[in-house]
Amino acid sequence: MPYQAEYIWIDGVEPTHGLRSKTKIVADGKKPPVWGFDGSSTNQATGSFSDCVLQPVFTCPDPLRGPNDVLVMCEVLNADLTPHPTNTRAAAVATAKQYASFEPMFGIEQEYTFFQDGRPYGWPEVGFPAPQGPYYCGVGGAKQPGREIVEAHTLACMRAGLAIEGTNAEVMMGQWEFQIGVLGAVAIGDQLWVARWLLQRIAEDYGVDVSFDAKPIKGDWNGAGAHTNFSTKQMRGPGGFDAIVAACEALGTRVLEHIDSYGAGIKDRLTGAHETAPWSSFSYGVSDRGSSVRIPGAVARDRRGYLEDRRPNANVDPYVVSRLMVETICGAARAPRRAPAAKAVKAPAAATSTRAAATKVAARR
Ligand code: ADP
Ligand code: MN
Ligand code: MN
Ligand code: MN
């Protein structure tokens, strides 16, 4: 019996690329083949030379269809089989190869906002819901609109074999998060994009839209991020804390390059309010959710583990954030020492570290 393969790819829409997909019936026993699409309808080609190529790169069970059906994440190639300009995965693969010996690993916390009728899901037709406070990890009544979609999405990710780790309701009503990881530098992008596709596809069934907008509602409402947690073999190993501090220092040398690639509208979100650090200054600290990069308290205590770059937007391309973090952090670790090595930072004695105990570094640029 033939099976259905849902080919998923990233389009060329600006300023934020979106997802597209279409279905191919594949003969029993055959793998999903290379396929194509009309790039002139996705901002990836002109009408007169419109063929783009879909190269399957990651396949998993389709949890929404039959037991033999699959989801197929694809790279977009030009007709001559070179990577299309909108193909950010190809560069992520090259960088991951270059720094494979560091064994970089990622976990991403994907925040998003449900929308219906042009406003966040569950919001009143006029005016605003009660101010932020009860919604984060809240329960009960009208406080948590969208939970049925979250439940369906979580189950779908598990059935697809994706490395989903958890979910939580966020600070703004209608806003939620799921986490995915811990995965290698390319797999994090493949799986997060498929998880985003599943979320949008499932929300369809409820007549709801998913927004990855970084600041969907202006004013005193939280934005939506994609905190990116990162480690190397050295950072995870005994005494890895010094490598974690060195990684933070390295991120501090390329602040604007990262900010420019961390998603459209980042300056609206990284204002310094709502658990963010201002985009224009770089800081890192232990347990500090008001810094650009946070070293979790438990990591400081164990003196090994990972760091959390809190800057990426919900609408960031995970292939881009992965490539940049590996380039910047592993690149600095590999480079011959020009400057003196980053000074070691003492972990605070108490597990409950405070902002005062945190290390702050001024922006370099
Ligand atoms: P918080 O909301 O407190 O920032 P979460 O529990 O939402 O924390 O997310 C923690 C993230 O850290 C997860 O995505 C997880 O995959 C990631 N993580 C844990 N250990 C590592 C590691 N060694 N390397 C990279 N990421 C990690
Ligand atoms: Mn989280
Ligand atoms: Mn969150
Ligand atoms: Mn976080």
Side-chain angles (χ1 to χ4, degrees):
M1 164 99 157
Y3 66 95
Q4 297 186 74
E6 188 71 10
Y7 281 62
I8 302 170
W9 74 95
I10 298 164
D11 69 20
V13 170
E14 293 294 348
T16 301
H17 296 171
L19 284 166
R20 310 280 174 133
S21 73
K22 58 177 182 162
T23 309
K24 186 174 191 62
I25 315 301
V26 184
D28 192 18
K30 292 264 190 289
K31 277 189 165 173
V34 171
W35 203 15
F37 68 98
D38 166 17
S40 71
S41 299
T42 60
N43 208 29
Q44 285 166 304
T46 57
S48 55
F49 197 77
S50 64
D51 284 356
C52 290
V53 173
L54 290 174
Q55 171 72 60
V57 289
F58 170 73
T59 302
C60 65
D62 183 343
L64 308 179
R65 287 178 169 159
N68 297 323
D69 300 326
V70 294
L71 303 176
V72 183
M73 188 68 206
C74 297
E75 273 190 36
V76 176
L77 307 180
N78 298 308
D80 65 2
L81 302 187
T82 55
H84 189 272
T86 59
N87 177 345
T88 51
R89 186 181 185 277
V93 169
T95 299
K97 274 201 186 122
Q98 197 182 342
Y99 294 103
S101 64
F102 287 82
E103 298 179 25
M105 300 295 282
F106 288 86
I108 295 187
E109 305 164 49
Q110 175 70 65
E111 296 178 343
Y112 58 91
T113 313
F114 288 130
F115 267 79
Q116 195 177 52
D117 301 328
R119 58 181 187 275
Y121 194 41
W123 282 41
E125 220 172 306
V126 257
F128 297 90
Q132 294 187 158
Y135 309 118
Y136 171 76
C137 295
V139 64
K143 280 207 290 273
Q144 304 306 143
R147 192 187 294 277
E148 66 282 14
I149 310 171
V150 173
E151 294 285 326
H153 174 250
T154 305
L155 206 55
C157 287
M158 291 169 68
R159 289 194 175 133
L162 305 183
I164 188 164
E165 305 172 279
T167 67
N168 60 267
E170 268 304 336
V171 176
M172 186 180 98
M173 183 200 254
Q175 212 164 63
W176 294 80
E177 166 179 319
F178 66 88
Q179 304 96 33
I180 197 149
V182 182
L183 291 167
V186 177
I188 189 68
D190 294 341
Q191 294 206 19
L192 182 53
W193 277 114
V194 171
R196 284 177 176 176
W197 183 88
L198 278 169
L199 182 62
Q200 290 177 292
R201 169 63 193 84
I202 290 166
E204 265 180 21
D205 291 344
Y206 295 82
V208 169
D209 279 330
V210 179
S211 168
F212 296 107
D213 195 324
K215 190 78 180 179
I217 304 294
K218 310 292 172 231
D220 206 11
W221 300 93
N222 273 41
H227 298 168
T228 301
N229 301 273
F230 175 87
S231 64
T232 59
K233 188 180 175 182
Q234 202 187 2
M235 289 161 66
R236 292 187 295 271
F241 193 72
D242 289 349
I244 295 172
V245 171
C248 294
E249 292 281 341
L251 287 169
T253 64
R254 292 180 74 187
V255 174
L256 293 184
E257 269 166 286
H258 282 251
I259 289 290
D260 284 347
S261 298
Y262 276 3
I266 196 162
K267 294 174 185 175
D268 294 334
R269 174 175 151 260
L270 298 185
T271 57
H274 305 109
E275 297 175 62
T276 67
W279 65 269
S280 55
S281 68
F282 178 81
S283 59
Y284 66 89
V286 171
S287 287
D288 187 355
R289 287 171 196 270
S291 61
S292 315
V293 175
R294 166 177 152 259
I295 302 172
V299 170
R301 207 165 49 233
D302 299 344
R303 297 198 63 77
R304 64 200 277 178
Y306 62 98
L307 60 82
E308 177 193 44
D309 191 339
R310 300 177 58 80
R311 296 169 298 170
N313 274 352
N315 60 5
V316 77
D317 179 344
Y319 294 131
V320 172
V321 77
S322 156
R323 175 183 54 77
L324 265 174
M325 286 183 78
V326 172
E327 263 175 25
T328 299
I329 293 171
C330 302
R334 181 175 279 177
R337 292 263 159 79
R338 270 176 267 106
K343 53 188 176 318
V345 174
K346 286 233 166 59
T352 51
S353 39
T354 61
R355 280 191 78 157
T359 310
K360 291 293 216 172
V361 189
R364 296 269 156 71
R365 43 177 294 190

